[in-house]
Each structure stands twice: as structure tokens, then as C-alpha cells.
Amino acid sequence: MHAITIPEPGGPEALVWAEVPDPVPGDGEVLVEVVAGAVNRADVLQRQGFYDPPPGASPYPGLECAGRIAALGPGVTGWAVGDAVCALLSGGGYAEKVAVPVGQLLPVPDGVELTVAAALPEVTATVWSNVFMVAHLRPGETVLIHGGSSGIGTMAIQLAKAVGARVAVTAGSPEKLARCAELGADILINYREQDFVEEVRENTAGAGADVILDIVGAKYLDRNVQALAVNGRLAIIGLQGGVKGELNLGALLAKRAAVTATSLRGRPIAEKAAIVAAVREHVWPLIADGVVRPVVDRTVPMADAAEAHRVLESSTHVGKVLLITPNA
């Protein structure tokens, strides 16, 4: 098979489409013939040499894919060769084939094309686990989503609206904010021109956001705490703005607030399986009913993954960028 390899860390040109050995599914795994993968920020970090795969994971980038089951490993039940699936991965999505733990498989939702389904596993698992399983967003509450036009953001907007929450978003242009509004965002904040703390307070009668989903990290830490409501929950899932920040514990204590930080890739298989099961139970019906939909900016041939990385790093996209294999 072919896969995107990284012989040496570097820029987008470091991604090389090369012939590599086929993976072999182990106990409790299936082999998926990949038709599409999706690009995530973690892939960029891996390409740059800053985010190695977990022990035992595929060395190739790619945290989600869609395709058809090509073979079943020992002990696998409930799935059959030929089933159309999408999957959450620890790596290996930038390839024509990948071995996947059975607990990280999802059926392709009704009404979704097979290639487009590659846009779903990572974002749905990230949003559902952080916003709902950890931060417990409830109907009537306000959630602030940083990077509202990103793959994570576009899914978070829709899921938050689906449960009856009020949604505030930050984005860097009027065009991106308009797309967020189309998806249901209520409060639109241009972070280049507006102070999100002031805007959230103004639009919540001074109360603040009950939940904040943050991809920025250190740069926003203090201001996120300022923007939180009493009993607010800040969920940090990215570090684009740095890894070290100063936290005012007095402000956190006064608000009886909580700060959590999670990543998905390095979690134990059992934890990933539990998250995937929750996504299938709670999110898949919303997709099948058309309440929630994947947002895809563009598709690129997988052999041209470097171009897809350039798009992601330019931040000109809205939603997901997909990589299409010759199997499609």
C-alpha cells in the first residue's frame, strides 16, 4: 500500500507519499481500506516533529478516516468485511489501509457520503467528550467556542444548539463569523477587533459563559477565567497560544469554576471506546436526522497532503479538509 510518510520533520514538503508494508490487524482490530482521511492540527505538529504517535500506534499521521472493512482480526464480532465505516485513530489515517481497534469504529451515518464521513470521528469525539461528558453543557446555558469556524468549532456550534444552549464564537473574519451564524451561533466575536470577555459579558447581562471550549491555551487562560460565569467550566483542548500561562486562583475560587485540559490521541483504548460509544448513542442520531452535519471545506488527493497542510496552516478554511485516496 501507499501512505504519507515523514522521513524528516519539517514543512509541508516533508510529507512523502511512499510505498510501505500493509498493516496486519491484531486481536480485536479490523483492517480498513481507507477512502478518505481528514487533516487535524495534531498532524501538523507531528509533521514538524513536536507530536510523536503513542507507543504502538502507526507512524503515519492521520487521526480519523472513512472506508470499508477489508479484514477482521481475531476476536472481532459485530462487523463484516465490506461494512462502510469511519474510525477514530491514534495514527495511520494518511494511508490506503489502517488497522483499527474495533471499539473505535463507527458505522457511516445515514445520509452521509462515505468520503465525507472521514470528517466526523475526531471532531465528534473531541466535542462530545469535552463539552458534554466533562463540562456538562446543559440546555439554556451559554457556551463560548474559540475558533468557531474550525472543524472542532463547526461541530461544537451544532451540537450545542442541538441540546438547547446559547452559542458564542470567536473567529478572525466577518466571512468566517457569517458561516458560524449559518450553523446557529448566536453571539459573533471577531477576535481581531473585539474583546471576547467584554462581548460575552455584554451578551449575558454580565453573567459570563457557563462553558468555554478553548483551542488557544496559555494566551487566553486569564481572559477565559474572566469570561467564565459562576460555576463555569473551561475545557482546554489546544495549545496554539502557548503552554505556560498564569492562573488567578482567587478569581477561579470566587467563581467556583473548573479548568480541565484533555487530549484524545493518547488515551487508553478503553477510554476511547467509551467516548466512541457515547458519540454513536448521542450524536449519530442527530446526524442521521439532519440536525447536525459535517462541514467540509475542500478535498485534496492524499498524495498531495502537503497542499492540505498549507491550507490548514493558512487558516483560510472553514470546517474540515479531507484527503482522498485512490480507493475512493
Side-chain angles (χ1 to χ4, degrees):
M1 73 168 189
H2 283 78
I4 289 292
T5 62
I6 309 173
E8 294 290 340
E13 68 283 354
L15 301 173
V16 178
W17 184 243
E19 189 168 355
V20 299
D22 284 13
V24 177
D27 289 348
E29 293 184 334
V30 303
L31 184 67
V32 174
E33 183 181 68
V34 177
V35 301
V39 182
N40 290 280
R41 293 282 174 183
D43 306 333
V44 174
L45 293 175
Q46 181 173 339
R47 187 203 77 214
Q48 295 170 336
F50 299 133
Y51 194 16
D52 291 336
S58 169
Y60 316 123
L63 301 182
E64 56 194 334
C65 73
R68 299 176 184 87
I69 295 178
L72 304 178
V76 173
T77 59
W79 299 91
V81 171
D83 284 350
V85 296
C86 54
L88 181 70
L89 309 172
S90 297
Y94 288 24
E96 292 181 305
K97 296 177 183 178
V98 63
V100 185
V102 69
Q104 293 166 218
L105 283 181
L106 287 156
V108 173
D110 292 342
V112 177
E113 294 180 14
L114 180 56
T115 54
V116 174
L120 289 170
E122 177 75 12
V123 294
T124 54
T126 298
V127 173
W128 192 261
S129 63
N130 284 279
V131 176
F132 299 96
M133 296 174 73
V134 174
H136 302 292
L137 180 68
R138 295 183 286 268
E141 292 190 322
T142 297
V143 57
L144 169 61
I145 301 164
H146 289 301
S149 62
S150 67
I152 293 289
T154 54
M155 180 56 62
I157 292 169
Q158 296 179 80
L159 287 176
K161 292 299 292 185
V163 302
R166 191 178 186 209
V167 177
V169 298
T170 62
S173 72
E175 294 77 17
K176 287 186 174 183
L177 289 172
R179 294 291 301 277
C180 293
E182 292 172 2
L183 294 171
D186 305 288
I187 303 166
L188 309 175
I189 305 166
N190 187 327
Y191 68 82
R192 301 184 192 276
E193 301 175 356
Q194 298 168 288
D195 184 328
F196 70 80
V197 178
E198 294 179 0
E199 294 298 322
V200 168
R201 286 175 174 169
E202 182 177 332
N203 284 277
T204 57
D210 300 288
V211 173
I212 299 176
L213 184 65
D214 178 48
I215 60 172
V216 177
K219 183 179 178 181
Y220 276 8
L221 181 58
D222 181 64
R223 293 165 66 204
N224 276 332
V225 172
Q226 293 177 40
L228 279 176
V230 173
N231 295 316
R233 291 86 72 195
L234 167 60
I236 300 171
I237 60 169
L239 302 170
Q240 295 179 31
V243 299
K244 292 184 179 180
E246 187 170 305
L247 178 62
N248 185 335
L249 292 177
L252 198 68
L253 193 68
K255 292 185 175 184
R256 301 186 297 280
V259 178
T260 61
T262 71
S263 64
L264 190 57
R265 186 181 197 182
R267 291 189 185 218
I269 289 177
E271 288 187 20
K272 289 183 183 179
I275 292 169
V276 168
V279 165
R280 184 171 182 176
E281 177 183 356
H282 298 286
V283 181
W284 253 225
L286 297 173
I287 297 173
D289 291 343
V291 176
V292 172
R293 59 184 176 86
V295 177
V296 175
D297 186 275
R298 69 191 73 186
T299 61
V300 177
M302 188 171 285
D304 297 330
E307 177 58 27
H309 275 225
R310 292 186 185 99
V311 170
L312 201 74
E313 291 181 281
S314 71
S315 293
T316 56
H317 63 294
V318 173
K320 301 286 285 190
V321 178
L322 301 185
L323 300 171
I324 308 300
T325 77
N327 299 325

